[in-house]
Amino acid sequence: MLIRVPSPSRSLESEVTPESVYLSRRKLMQGSLALAGMAAMPAWVHADTPGSYANLEPAKAPAWFEEKLPSTRWQAVRAEGESITPFKDATHYNNFYEFGTGKGDPAANAGKLQVEPWTVMVDGEVGKPGRYAIEDLVKPHAFEERIYRLRCVEAWSMVIPWLGFSLAELLKQVEPSSAARYVRFETLVDAQRMPGQRSGFSLIDWPYVEGLRLDEAMHPLAFMAVGMYGRVLPGQNGAPLRLVVPWKYGFKSIKSIVRISLVAEAPKTTWERIAPNEYGFYANVNPQVDHPRWSQATERRLPSGLFSPNIVDTRMFNGYDEVAELYAGMDLKRYY
Ligand code: MTE
């Protein structure tokens, strides 16, 4: 499927206000290259990504990741007028309840996550079911970098440069049958390494489960991430494979996926089970539909502090207007 890269979710380099690391790359380019030509730039310009993220510690990555990285299509999707969230915030302010409920718990505990070897069970209504090694799932797909806004239902947000490939490509690879109408995703269960799964106080019935309608899953913006900031995905962000659905609240973007099932009925998702009146199946970002306990009209864009809270207006579909056609005729107050 063609990636449509429509105007609301992308912009020219000149419109992006990226992290200072991007500035250093620009200096390197001595300002002589036409900014509008960025998308078509040869790979060497981005050979410094990690150069673009040069202030980051190098990360040890599996061979399947290292092999793909040099041919990445950098900035295939950009974020209009946005600053990229500093890496430190994106990796130390997380929700990953398997590792604890505090925002710092995932970074503190995810180091124990065992990501090699990693397999993903693909089952249900598919022509090519099976237990796939992550190498085999990733192999057919070129990496792209996509800079997406991430809007959490808790009313904070970030702008993250993900690395990966579209979910539609992965689904086509396993050949959904005509009976498939939804996609169900499951996270790893490993109580030994995931302290949140041992906690007697957890409301979550593990594994963490998420789902999409098949047409949502096939939308070109739905993304499988294996990296971020030009490097392999850290454990706390959902290594080695996570979903990123930028027009939905962050809880739909399930981490550390071990199972993908094509199913006929809508799966019951983790947050729907816990509080169906607060978290719906659709979970589209919508400033007009408040959470029962707080407003969704605005969001706190990280980094944010007491004296500079950095509050911005929340946009319908998180600004990804191109998905509106998926919901034509639907009452989005009812199907929240
Ligand atoms: N996936 C799993 N397995 N467990 C979780 O607790 N939290 C979700 C989502 N994916 C979660 C998860 C929520 S609420 C958000 S906002 C995003 O992950 C946060 O992603 P980030 O930590 O990479 O910013």
Side-chain angles (χ1 to χ4, degrees), residues 89-100 103 106 150-154 156 158 160 162 186-188 194 197 204 206-210 228 233-238 242-244 249-257 270-271 302:
D89 294 279
T91 54
H92 287 78
Y93 190 94
N94 300 102
N95 280 335
F96 198 169
Y97 288 146
E98 285 83 340
F99 291 108
K103 294 287 185 270
L150 174 85
R151 169 52 157 92
C152 180
V153 74
E154 298 164 344
W156 53 263
M158 304 196 199
I160 299 180
W162 301 106
E186 232 177 73
T187 293
L188 177 72
M194 295 175 140
Q197 293 180 337
I204 298 179
W206 311 105
Y208 191 101
V209 170
E210 258 310 332
M228 62 197 285
L233 211 53
Q236 61 266 39
N237 294 91
R242 72 170 291 171
L243 182 64
V244 183
Y249 291 120
F251 67 84
K252 299 295 291 183
S253 293
I254 181 171
K255 298 177 170 180
S256 304
I257 295 168
T270 289
W271 290 103
L302 297 184

Side-chain angles (χ1 to χ4, degrees), residues 75-290:
Q75 297 194 17
V77 176
R78 301 171 187 174
E80 189 180 346
E82 305 280 17
S83 301
I84 288 176
T85 303
F87 181 76
K88 179 89 182 175
D89 294 279
T91 54
H92 287 78
Y93 190 94
N94 300 102
N95 280 335
F96 198 169
Y97 288 146
E98 285 83 340
F99 291 108
T101 52
K103 294 287 185 270
D105 290 345
N109 297 325
K112 295 194 191 85
L113 179 69
Q114 182 101 36
V115 295
E116 281 183 280
W118 191 271
T119 60
V120 180
M121 173 65 100
V122 178
D123 59 5
E125 304 291 346
V126 280
K128 292 187 171 165
R131 186 175 288 284
Y132 289 75
I134 189 161
E135 295 80 328
D136 297 329
L137 270 190
V138 168
K139 201 179 287 170
H141 315 295
F143 283 1
E144 281 187 359
E145 183 181 55
R146 297 196 185 180
I147 303 169
Y148 280 163
R149 288 177 289 277
L150 174 85
R151 169 52 157 92
C152 180
V153 74
E154 298 164 344
W156 53 263
S157 60
M158 304 196 199
V159 179
I160 299 180
W162 301 106
L163 275 175
F165 49 90
S166 71
L167 172 59
E169 283 185 35
L170 185 147
L171 292 176
K172 278 189 238 156
Q173 181 185 352
V174 300
E175 299 176 2
S177 78
S178 58
R181 291 187 51 226
Y182 293 87
V183 191
R184 180 184 181 280
F185 302 87
E186 232 177 73
T187 293
L188 177 72
V189 176
D190 183 351
Q192 229 185 331
R193 297 193 178 86
M194 295 175 140
Q197 293 180 337
R198 296 197 296 272
S199 161
F201 298 104
S202 176
L203 293 172
I204 298 179
D205 187 13
W206 311 105
Y208 191 101
V209 170
E210 258 310 332
L212 295 171
R213 236 171 42 194
L214 184 58
D215 60 339
E216 296 179 308
M218 295 300 286
H219 193 280
L221 285 175
F223 199 58
M224 296 305 295
V226 293
M228 62 197 285
Y229 297 80
R231 68 221 299 269
V232 74
L233 211 53
Q236 61 266 39
N237 294 91
L241 181 73
R242 72 170 291 171
L243 182 64
V244 183
V245 194
W247 69 94
K248 291 181 181 282
Y249 291 120
F251 67 84
K252 299 295 291 183
S253 293
I254 181 171
K255 298 177 170 180
S256 304
I257 295 168
V258 291
R259 186 171 176 196
I260 301 176
S261 311
L262 279 287
V263 292
E265 306 291 334
K268 262 279 171 273
T269 64
T270 289
W271 290 103
E272 267 185 297
R273 273 183 208 280
I274 294 172
N277 58 325
E278 298 187 15
Y279 309 105
F281 176 81
Y282 281 94
N284 290 317
V285 175
N286 189 340
Q288 281 140 36
V289 177
D290 287 338

